[in-house]
Amino acid sequence: MIARFVPHRSVLSASLYAVVILVLADTTAASANEAEIRKVIEEYCVAISDMAAERRMATQSAMLKELEARVEDKIARLEQKKGELETLLKRREDLRGLARQELVEIYAGMEPEIASIQLEKLDVRLASSVLRQLKPRQASAILNEMNPDFAARMAKTIASAARNGKEDP
């Protein structure tokens, strides 16, 4: 007769016990009562099923906590990077605004003929942005000195920017 199974705390030792029972079941099947062996195996499986489930839950819970900590760490690092990028973008925009204003002041102080020659060499969007920020009298004097084709493109760009409500074209 096979002794009744008393569940151990260790799932590993319980698993070894199950292997021993299965080996015994194979070798003594002919001589022992097969129903009793099946009953012992069934009791064993029932006894360890709760422990195995608890162990799985504990392992999965620990893994989830570890993953959660890693995700939170990543989020914190990304938030820090986001703050750094926002600071850099703000500084960049401040420098752009300062450079743009300085550029406008430079062109405002130039003679219209010289300013028109210089503006024709710039990108149309930048040149039209500078012209939009000049006083209308200064801008018209510069446009008057420009190549007619370039002046027409500038006027279209300025009008388009005004229509779209953009500060800079």
Side-chain angles (χ1 to χ4, degrees):
M1 179 181 240
I2 298 175
R4 296 253 181 240
F5 173 74
V6 178
H8 296 287
R9 290 280 180 217
S10 169
V11 174
L12 179 61
S13 63
S15 297
L16 290 174
Y17 186 73
V19 169
V20 169
I21 288 176
L22 290 174
V23 169
L24 286 175
D26 282 346
T27 58
T28 61
S31 62
N33 184 354
E34 192 172 309
E36 185 178 338
I37 293 172
R38 288 189 185 283
K39 186 175 181 181
V40 170
I41 292 173
E42 186 178 313
E43 287 175 0
Y44 166 77
C45 291
V46 169
I48 69 162
S49 68
D50 288 340
M51 288 189 321
E54 288 173 10
R55 183 73 175 155
R56 269 192 309 275
M57 287 283 276
T59 301
Q60 289 174 349
S61 178
M63 289 172 59
L64 283 174
K65 285 180 182 178
E66 180 184 329
L67 286 173
E68 184 179 5
R70 287 174 41 198
V71 166
E72 287 175 1
D73 182 52
K74 276 254 198 232
I75 288 172
R77 284 189 280 148
L78 287 172
E79 288 293 330
Q80 179 184 2
K81 290 288 184 190
K82 179 183 173 188
E84 291 172 7
L85 286 173
E86 286 173 349
T87 301
L88 288 173
L89 284 173
K90 170 110 176 72
R91 249 186 18 211
R92 178 179 165 214
E93 288 303 314
D94 291 346
L95 287 174
R96 270 187 169 175
L98 181 62
R100 196 173 290 135
Q101 187 56 39
E102 287 176 354
L103 191 60
V104 169
E105 290 173 11
I106 290 171
Y107 280 102
M110 292 176 122
E111 292 294 322
E113 302 115 35
I114 304 292
S116 69
I117 293 170
Q118 295 296 321
L119 285 173
E120 286 180 23
K121 293 180 181 179
L122 296 178
D123 177 61
V124 173
R125 292 178 298 174
L126 178 59
S128 62
S129 173
V130 169
L131 278 179
R132 286 186 69 213
Q133 294 178 51
L134 290 173
K135 293 178 183 173
R137 185 170 284 249
Q138 290 172 320
S140 65
I142 293 172
L143 279 171
N144 191 43
E145 295 294 328
M146 282 185 177
N147 173 321
D149 292 333
F150 190 77
R153 283 197 335 218
M154 294 280 288
K156 285 180 185 176
T157 305
I158 291 170
S160 174
R163 205 176 24 243
N164 295 333
K166 293 182 181 177
E167 183 177 309
D168 291 330

